[in-house]
Amino acid sequence: MPKINVAVLPDRMPPRSPDAPPGVAVVIDVLRATTMMAALLDAGAAGIRAVRSMNEARSMKAREPSVLLAGERGGLAPDGFDMGNSPAGIDPELVRGRTVVLTTTNGTRAVEMVPASMPCLMLSLTNLDAVAERVRTLGADTLIVCSGTDGGRSSEDELAAGLLVDRLRTWTMTDTAEDTADLATGSIGASGGIEAALRRSFHAERLVGLGFDADVRFCAQLSVTRTVPALNRRSGLIVPG
Ligand code: MLT
C-alpha cells in the first residue's frame, strides 16, 4: 500500500533522498489560498501563477499587462491589485480566460517550497473528495503539506489534511497522518460539524473580524467542486489537473 504522511508546516517536510520516487505533494491552505485557486479555475481563469512576493507579482504584471493580480497581505488586497484573496468575491466576468498571478502570505509560499521533482495538487475542503479520488488513482506515496498561518500551525489546514487521510485509511499511515485524521474527526464531532470546527480556528476569527464571513462560509463547504488544481511544472501554471 502507498504511504500517506502529513507535514503540519511547509518547513516540516521530511528530507528527500535524491533517488527516492517523487510521490505526490498535496498543499492545503483552506483559509483561503487553495480554496481560492479552485474557485478561480471554476470561474474560468486560464491558469494561476503562484508567487511568493508582491514584487514578483508586480513585475509579472509589468511584463505582461493582461494578467490579473490577486492575493493578500494581512488578509487584504494589496494596493493596485485587481482583487484580493476572496473566493466568495470572485467576479467571473473579470477572470474568465485570464491568467491570475496570486501571492498570499502562507499558501503560495507553501507551493513554492514543494520540491520541484514532486507533482503538486491543491486541496481545500471544497474539493476534498475529488482530490481523494485523484490521489487514490495515482496510487503513489503522498505527502500532505499544511501551509499554516504566519509560521505557526493552523487547525483548519490540519482539519482538511485529517479528512483526506481519513478517506485513505487503508493506506500505510505515518503516526502524524493517523493523529491528524483522529483529531480532525474528533474536532468535527465535538464542534457539531465542519463549518463550526473551521470557525474555531484563529484564522477564521481573524477573517470574520476583517469582514470576510462570506469567505469562511465558502471555504467550509465540503466537496462542492470536482476541480483539482495542479501545478504544471513545465509552464509554471496551476491549472485543472
Ligand atoms: C495565506 O496564504 O496566508 C492566506 O490564504 C491568507 C488569507 O487569505 O487570509
Side-chain angles (χ1 to χ4, degrees):
M1 274 295 166
K3 187 173 84 178
I4 185 144
N5 192 9
V6 175
V8 293
L9 285 170
D11 40 28
R12 304 257 190 102
M13 279 189 265
R16 297 178 50 73
S17 72
D19 50 349
V24 175
V26 176
V27 172
I28 315 175
D29 186 355
V30 170
L31 294 172
R32 296 166 288 178
T34 53
T35 309
M36 179 70 170
M37 291 172 192
L40 282 168
L41 295 175
D42 283 343
I48 300 156
R49 200 170 288 280
V51 299
R52 201 187 280 209
S53 79
M54 289 199 290
N55 279 348
E56 224 179 325
R58 290 195 170 107
S59 8
M60 276 184 187
K61 175 99 179 170
R63 279 201 305 274
E64 209 183 312
S66 65
V67 302
L68 293 171
L69 294 187
E72 60 68 44
R73 285 298 179 273
L76 303 174
D79 278 349
F81 272 41
D82 300 288
M83 68 188 102
N85 194 32
S86 286
I90 294 171
D91 174 3
E93 294 298 315
L94 177 67
V95 305
R96 194 167 300 127
R98 309 277 292 274
T99 296
V100 180
V101 176
L102 181 71
T103 177
T104 70
T105 315
N106 308 285
T108 54
R109 171 176 173 268
V111 172
E112 275 201 359
M113 287 173 73
V114 170
S117 59
M118 294 181 92
C120 180
L121 308 177
M122 315 299 157
L123 173 71
S124 50
L125 290 170
T126 58
N127 68 359
L128 189 93
D129 285 323
V131 173
E133 278 169 39
R134 182 65 50 81
V135 164
R136 220 178 276 123
T137 305
L138 292 169
D141 287 354
T142 298
L143 174 65
I144 306 174
V145 182
C146 300
S147 299
T149 302
D150 304 334
R153 292 173 61 169
S154 57
S155 60
E156 71 277 10
D157 291 344
E158 292 178 35
L159 189 74
L163 289 178
L164 181 59
V165 174
D166 196 49
R167 280 156 174 72
L168 298 164
R169 286 263 188 197
T170 53
W171 285 26
T172 305
M173 291 181 275
T174 62
D175 289 349
T176 313
E178 194 166 358
D179 287 351
T180 310
D182 292 345
L183 281 171
T185 47
S187 147
I188 291 165
S191 310
I194 290 182
E195 182 167 344
L198 185 71
R199 283 184 180 278
R200 290 173 67 179
S201 70
F202 164 77
H203 197 47
E205 284 177 12
R206 183 161 79 175
L207 287 172
V208 170
L210 288 169
F212 293 119
D213 192 79
D215 277 339
V216 176
R217 207 172 325 120
F218 188 104
C219 296
Q221 303 173 94
L222 189 64
S223 299
V224 290
T225 176
R226 302 292 307 164
T227 299
V228 178
L231 177 58
N232 180 314
R233 296 275 181 200
R234 256 175 303 148
S235 66
L237 282 179
I238 295 168
V239 290

